Amino acid sequence: MLTDQQILRIPGPTPIPPSVNRAMSQPMIGHRGQSTSEMIQDIRPKLKRVFGTQQEVMILTASGTAGLETAVVNTVAPGEEVLVVVTGAFGERFAKICKAYEIKTHVLDVEWGQAADPEAVKAFLKEHPEVKAVFATFCETSTGVLNPVQELAAAVKEESDALFIVDGVSCVGGTETKMDDWGIDVVVTGSQKAFMLPAGLAFVAASERAWVKIEANPQPRFYLDLKKHRDNILKDTTPFTPALSILFGLQQVLQLMEEEGLEQVYARHQLMMKMTRAAFQALDVPLLTTDDAASPTVTAVKPADFDAEAFRKIMKQEFGFEVAGGQQHLAKAIFRIGHMGYCSPADMLQAIAIMEIGVLKAGKEIELGKGVRAAQQIYLNEGKLAQ
Amino acid sequence: MLTDQQILRIPGPTPIPPSVNRAMSQPMIGHRGQSTSEMIQDIRPKLKRVFGTQQEVMILTASGTAGLETAVVNTVAPGEEVLVVVTGAFGERFAKICKAYEIKTHVLDVEWGQAADPEAVKAFLKEHPEVKAVFATFCETSTGVLNPVQELAAAVKEESDALFIVDGVSCVGGTETKMDDWGIDVVVTGSQKAFMLPAGLAFVAASERAWVKIEANPQPRFYLDLKKHRDNILKDTTPFTPALSILFGLQQVLQLMEEEGLEQVYARHQLMMKMTRAAFQALDVPLLTTDDAASPTVTAVKPADFDAEAFRKIMKQEFGFEVAGGQQHLAKAIFRIGHMGYCSPADMLQAIAIMEIGVLKAGKEIELGKGVRAAQQIYLNEGKLAQ
């Protein structure tokens, strides 16, 4: 096998574009100097467009989980009551963080692989009028579900005054996000998913309603205190030492996104999702989610007649190709393909062509090329959108 | 379209492996210091194995053409008579260099797309007993022909005392080369083809017979004087300043080749050739060469019912995918796919899947996925060899 080739198609981190790698290898500069300020000044409006907000998007040097914790400790006071909508492993993480702070945490459990139902959230809130915040996951990375956060936001607003807080880690930047228009109060994401960067930065934005709560919230916090972050980013700086090389990369990533056009970026992700799903459907290999609940950034496949782990092992050995396995009770039952960030329709055609070989070698009789053909047809029918 | 993605499948340069890029970005060191000597000491035996020779392989800081000129000025005296076997544009280059030095140059022209015939060379030499050197191209990059250099060497030896000199630029490192066993007197290659490096280094080895001629040759030369290069490489150094970063890269490339195993490297190239050819045959798109004459590193396609240039333009626009056009009289008639160096069967499946879309968009009705299937079947039947 060709050595030194890794084809990384896990749901984050994604491969890093060459120009971003070049940007990240710039020499270190002082993070309190003018060059860093100018870089942050350049980044701010572009990051707002990705979030669909007029609010400041704050940049924390931390991984995604710290972003989730930031949302919790800034918006919920000790002893308050919250609802966490759990559709998979990352929904559970929100609940765990809340419980760590002795917040009264209700959990609305949704079967893994299904999307959250706004009506169920409304019904829950009607029965629990003391809930002060509702937490949900935009793309549930563990299942490849894209939850309907716009509808969930509307449901929360209709039924309560609770803040609506969204973990957007594995999809913001790869799918349309209109934080302000949709009435989302806090959006969190990380650098290593659709942002095509190494892990190390978390991005958090909060609505005006959320800021009122954040200002008054007595919950102790220091590094994750959003007030400090906002005061500093308004002056084009950060309260603590930033991960400077990733910041160099972020500036270039945002530049690339603007060059491609955000609408085109989102259309490309939709196209890759449809190509991937059409391929497995053509090969008669079941998907975990319905088309309606599917995420444009990650697809979970649940093979019925071959072993998911054997398949992953074959793909790694033969092609240096890596997809993710399942988590928790889906640990050996599914595999998950990331198609986000630095990933193109051409990359998905490659992934599908070699996965057909993997499926065959894992023991399922298939017509070779059939999945590729289905994906090619999607590309030909819908590819215009992503041009 | 995803910005910042280029899929380079021209017949050189090829993409560069990540570890080679990292090696090349090491800080500069003194090229007369011990670290450089140790590096050259490490490189020497590995380079000999790739050439299939016990002789020294000399490393010139120059592109491939300078390597060809080195072969000419070192082995042929002014006024001597030579034969150049021309199977395409790079054979012609050898002839041009000879003529520039006022060498009496015979040309044996072979139709582009066909391989040289050892019998024709024998017949020519029988009629021209004064020929002192025969020049031939191993892989003719302009047509994707692999000339039978082993048989040509035997034919030359059988019929004359002429030196047999081979341009191996676009295949040495990607196809088995046994310079000593096959009786080749000079082999030349460059860094930007199967060696997976940027252009900038040329490699030249000469047989004992050739060295006798080189030592005595009155042809004026300085930078390209192989005697200087041999005297220096025997002391683990170079006569002139070397392209140090490419030398760093070369050390890593040779390490990768040894890790994969040279036999496996060659089997991988054979496999990629067969996959590519099977795909176009399945799609009923004509190839320029027969299977017997085909090179494991480059395939020339000669479409009958769509426009090669339109196809190339579509591929570039839609996928950032680049194949080469034809040269000279084949300028708009063919396109050429490089499958050498840092290129895997998975890369060829990607290339084929997207080229099917390009063929369709260029106007030829095809069954989508059919070329991919043919290539997948080759992989399944023959892939073991390349593992």
Side-chain angles (χ1 to χ4, degrees):
Chain A
M1 195 180 82
L2 177 63
T3 51
D4 203 17
Q5 182 174 58
Q6 293 295 326
I7 309 175
L8 189 68
R9 296 286 167 239
I10 60 176
T14 83
I16 293 167
S19 66
V20 175
N21 261 327
R22 290 196 300 277
M24 290 197 299
S25 53
Q26 286 172 75
M28 287 296 104
I29 57 177
H31 56 276
R32 298 298 174 217
Q34 197 185 336
S35 296
T36 302
S37 289
E38 284 169 3
M39 176 163 60
I40 293 172
Q41 199 169 25
D42 178 47
I43 285 169
R44 283 169 60 199
K46 291 173 182 162
L47 210 43
K48 289 179 184 182
R49 280 195 282 279
V50 177
F51 273 63
T53 186
Q54 301 292 321
Q55 303 296 324
E56 287 302 322
V57 180
M58 286 148 293
I59 302 167
L60 283 72
T61 292
S63 61
T65 300
L68 304 184
E69 184 166 341
T70 299
V72 171
V73 297
N74 280 275
T75 63
V76 186
E80 281 187 337
E81 204 168 324
V82 303
L83 169 64
V84 182
V85 182
V86 174
T87 55
F90 290 93
E92 285 180 359
R93 185 160 300 180
F94 249 149
K96 281 182 190 161
I97 295 167
C98 290
K99 287 172 187 168
Y101 284 93
E102 299 188 1
I103 290 162
K104 188 173 174 196
T105 307
H106 301 283
V107 167
L108 186 64
D109 261 317
V110 178
E111 191 184 336
W112 286 37
Q114 296 190 2
D117 174 10
E119 291 306 314
V121 171
K122 274 209 298 208
F124 189 95
L125 291 175
K126 200 183 288 281
E127 290 185 12
H128 298 80
E130 288 305 308
V131 164
K132 296 288 188 255
V134 176
F135 292 87
T137 315
F138 196 172
C139 171
E140 176 50 65
T141 321
S142 63
T143 63
V145 159
L146 192 79
N147 281 304
V149 291
Q150 182 178 6
E151 290 74 16
L152 290 169
V156 171
K157 290 284 170 298
E158 198 181 314
E159 207 60 57
S160 75
D161 289 327
L163 296 176
F164 182 57
I165 293 160
V166 169
D167 166 3
V169 170
S170 65
C171 67
V172 171
T175 196
E176 186 174 63
T177 306
K178 294 189 162 182
M179 177 177 146
D180 291 356
D181 289 356
W182 296 349
I184 301 174
D185 293 299
V186 177
V187 172
V188 175
T189 193
S191 50
Q192 80 279 20
K193 307 276 187 175
F195 278 92
M196 323 185 251
L197 289 165
L201 295 180
F203 311 122
V204 185
S207 69
E208 282 185 27
R209 290 175 71 226
W211 276 114
V212 173
K213 182 69 182 279
I214 292 166
E215 301 275 4
N217 188 0
Q219 182 72 264
R221 72 264 194 196
F222 190 84
Y223 188 69
L224 302 183
D225 185 358
L226 280 178
K227 299 193 301 296
K228 288 192 185 76
H229 287 274
R230 185 182 55 178
D231 292 349
N232 279 274
I233 201 159
L234 287 169
K235 293 180 281 184
D236 297 316
T237 187
T238 55
F240 312 112
T241 310
L244 196 65
S245 64
I246 312 181
L247 218 49
F248 287 144
L250 174 62
Q251 185 179 31
Q252 176 59 16
V253 157
L254 292 166
Q255 178 63 29
L256 290 176
M257 284 180 172
E258 301 254 325
E259 277 170 23
E260 183 173 356
L262 282 180
E263 291 307 312
Q264 282 69 36
V265 170
Y266 303 149
R268 170 165 55 81
H269 283 79
Q270 283 287 328
L271 180 59
M272 294 192 294
M273 169 190 78
K274 287 180 184 170
M275 289 169 70
T276 307
R277 296 180 66 82
F280 283 102
Q281 283 159 349
L283 296 171
D284 196 29
V285 176
L287 299 164
L288 180 65
T289 68
T290 62
D291 288 351
D292 284 350
S295 165
T297 55
V298 51
T299 295
V301 180
K302 195 177 181 206
D305 36 17
F306 64 92
D307 182 62
E309 289 301 292
F311 167 82
R312 289 177 62 221
K313 199 171 163 190
I314 292 164
M315 296 307 294
K316 183 88 193 234
Q317 279 178 343
E318 300 232 351
F319 300 108
F321 179 91
E322 207 172 333
V323 292
Q327 293 175 302
Q328 298 187 27
H329 66 280
L330 291 177
K332 293 179 177 183
I334 64 169
F335 59 90
R336 294 172 299 141
I337 306 152
H339 34 76
M340 67 176 92
Y342 189 59
C343 188
S344 69
D347 291 326
M348 292 324 293
L349 288 173
Q350 175 180 53
I352 294 162
I354 62 178
M355 285 193 291
E356 286 186 358
I357 291 173
V359 167
L360 197 75
K361 288 205 167 187
K364 181 175 169 65
E365 289 282 324
I366 56 161
E367 183 194 319
L368 285 169
K370 197 174 178 183
V372 172
R373 181 166 63 244
Q376 287 170 321
Q377 275 160 348
I378 296 282
Y379 177 86
L380 287 164
N381 294 340
E382 312 208 9
K384 278 273 171 292
L385 302 168
Q387 297 295 312
Chain B
M1 194 180 82
L2 178 62
T3 52
D4 203 17
Q5 182 174 59
Q6 292 294 326
I7 309 175
L8 189 67
R9 296 285 166 237
I10 60 175
T14 83
I16 293 168
S19 65
V20 175
N21 262 328
R22 291 196 299 276
M24 291 197 298
S25 53
Q26 287 172 73
M28 287 297 103
I29 58 177
H31 55 277
R32 297 297 173 217
Q34 197 185 337
S35 297
T36 301
S37 288
E38 286 169 1
M39 176 163 61
I40 292 173
Q41 200 168 23
D42 178 47
I43 286 170
R44 283 169 59 200
K46 291 173 181 161
L47 210 43
K48 288 180 184 182
R49 281 196 282 278
V50 176
F51 273 63
T53 186
Q54 300 292 322
Q55 302 296 324
E56 287 303 321
V57 181
M58 286 148 293
I59 302 167
L60 283 72
T61 293
S63 60
T65 300
L68 303 185
E69 185 165 339
T70 298
V72 171
V73 297
N74 282 274
T75 62
V76 186
E80 281 186 337
E81 204 167 326
V82 303
L83 169 63
V84 183
V85 183
V86 174
T87 55
F90 290 93
E92 285 179 358
R93 185 161 302 182
F94 249 150
K96 280 182 191 160
I97 294 167
C98 290
K99 288 172 186 166
Y101 284 94
E102 298 187 2
I103 290 162
K104 190 173 172 195
T105 308
H106 301 284
V107 167
L108 186 64
D109 261 317
V110 178
E111 191 184 337
W112 286 37
Q114 295 191 2
D117 174 11
E119 291 306 314
V121 171
K122 273 208 297 208
F124 189 95
L125 291 175
K126 199 182 287 281
E127 290 184 12
H128 297 81
E130 288 305 307
V131 164
K132 297 287 189 259
V134 177
F135 293 87
T137 315
F138 196 171
C139 171
E140 176 51 65
T141 322
S142 63
T143 63
V145 160
L146 192 78
N147 281 304
V149 290
Q150 181 178 6
E151 290 73 16
L152 289 170
V156 171
K157 292 282 171 297
E158 197 181 317
E159 206 59 58
S160 75
D161 289 326
L163 297 175
F164 182 56
I165 294 161
V166 168
D167 166 2
V169 170
S170 65
C171 66
V172 170
T175 196
E176 188 174 61
T177 307
K178 295 189 161 181
M179 179 177 144
D180 292 355
D181 289 355
W182 296 349
I184 301 175
D185 294 299
V186 178
V187 171
V188 176
T189 194
S191 51
Q192 79 279 19
K193 307 278 185 173
F195 279 92
M196 325 184 249
L197 290 164
L201 296 180
F203 311 122
V204 185
S207 69
E208 283 185 27
R209 290 175 72 224
W211 276 114
V212 173
K213 182 68 182 280
I214 294 166
E215 303 274 4
N217 188 0
Q219 182 72 264
R221 72 264 195 196
F222 191 83
Y223 187 70
L224 303 182
D225 185 357
L226 280 178
K227 299 193 302 296
K228 289 192 184 78
H229 286 274
R230 185 183 54 178
D231 293 349
N232 279 274
I233 202 160
L234 287 170
K235 293 179 281 185
D236 297 316
T237 186
T238 56
F240 312 111
T241 312
L244 196 65
S245 64
I246 312 181
L247 219 50
F248 287 144
L250 175 62
Q251 185 179 30
Q252 175 60 16
V253 158
L254 291 167
Q255 178 64 30
L256 290 176
M257 284 181 173
E258 300 255 325
E259 279 170 22
E260 182 173 356
L262 281 180
E263 292 307 312
Q264 282 69 37
V265 170
Y266 302 149
R268 170 165 56 80
H269 283 81
Q270 284 288 328
L271 180 59
M272 295 192 294
M273 169 191 78
K274 287 180 185 171
M275 290 168 71
T276 307
R277 295 180 67 83
F280 283 102
Q281 283 160 351
L283 296 170
D284 196 29
V285 176
L287 299 164
L288 181 64
T289 68
T290 62
D291 288 351
D292 284 347
S295 166
T297 54
V298 50
T299 295
V301 181
K302 195 177 180 205
D305 36 16
F306 63 92
D307 183 63
E309 290 300 292
F311 166 82
R312 290 178 60 221
K313 200 171 163 190
I314 291 163
M315 296 307 294
K316 183 86 195 230
Q317 279 177 343
E318 299 231 352
F319 301 107
F321 178 91
E322 206 172 330
V323 292
Q327 293 176 302
Q328 299 187 26
H329 65 281
L330 292 177
K332 293 180 177 182
I334 65 170
F335 59 90
R336 295 173 298 139
I337 305 152
H339 34 76
M340 67 176 93
Y342 189 59
C343 188
S344 69
D347 291 325
M348 291 324 294
L349 288 173
Q350 174 180 55
I352 293 162
I354 63 178
M355 285 193 290
E356 286 187 358
I357 291 172
V359 167
L360 196 76
K361 289 206 168 187
K364 181 175 169 66
E365 291 281 324
I366 55 162
E367 183 194 319
L368 285 170
K370 196 173 178 184
V372 172
R373 180 164 67 243
Q376 287 170 320
Q377 275 160 348
I378 296 281
Y379 177 87
L380 287 164
N381 294 339
E382 314 209 6
K384 278 273 171 294
L385 302 168
Q387 296 294 314

